[in-house]
Amino acid sequence: MIEGIEHIGIAVRSIEEARAFYEALGLEVEAIEEVPHEGVRVALIPCGAARIELLESTADDSPVGKFLAKRGPGLHHLSLIHISEPTRPSP
């Protein structure tokens, strides 16, 4: 069963430029992390029970870099909270 949204990943060309939009909405960047093995910098923005992640590529051949080259900035992924329902024993 889907219980909610964990986070929304938004591909951006520049965290510094993109964050202004979210800050204008009253949201704040909580942290910026680099994930070298994914070739990405991530800005974490709490938003209610979920968070927004701004994804900035650090390498053209990274998944986010390829996404930006093909599609441009925008929604990259949506992560949902999934709760497993308990299985019932067979009769």
Side-chain angles (χ1 to χ4, degrees), residues 2-38:
I2 303 298
E3 188 168 278
I5 295 173
E6 202 275 327
H7 72 269
I8 299 169
I10 308 290
V12 300
R13 297 204 190 280
S14 164
I15 287 174
E16 292 310 311
E17 291 176 12
R19 73 187 287 171
F21 171 77
Y22 298 92
E23 290 170 342
L25 296 175
L27 301 173
E28 294 183 20
V29 173
E30 181 178 72
I32 297 177
E33 301 174 357
E34 187 153 344
V35 187
H37 68 278
E38 293 288 333

Side-chain angles (χ1 to χ4, degrees), residues 4 6 17 24 31-32 36 52-53 56-57 60 64 71 85 87 91:
E6 202 275 327
E17 291 176 12
I32 297 177
I52 297 167
E53 295 184 353
E56 175 187 284
S57 174
D60 292 340
V64 173
R71 296 185 177 90
E85 295 184 24
T87 56

Side-chain angles (χ1 to χ4, degrees), residues 10-11 60 62-77:
I10 308 290
D60 292 340
S62 72
V64 173
K66 291 176 184 177
F67 178 93
L68 286 165
K70 184 174 182 179
R71 296 185 177 90
L75 178 64
H76 182 264
H77 67 272

Side-chain angles (χ1 to χ4, degrees), residues 38-89:
E38 293 288 333
V40 71
R41 287 179 66 224
V42 182
L44 306 172
I45 304 172
C47 185
R51 74 177 181 271
I52 297 167
E53 295 184 353
L54 302 181
L55 309 169
E56 175 187 284
S57 174
T58 59
D60 292 340
D61 63 345
S62 72
V64 173
K66 291 176 184 177
F67 178 93
L68 286 165
K70 184 174 182 179
R71 296 185 177 90
L75 178 64
H76 182 264
H77 67 272
L78 177 65
S79 178
L80 301 172
I81 300 168
H82 179 264
I83 304 299
S84 298
E85 295 184 24
T87 56
R88 296 182 189 164

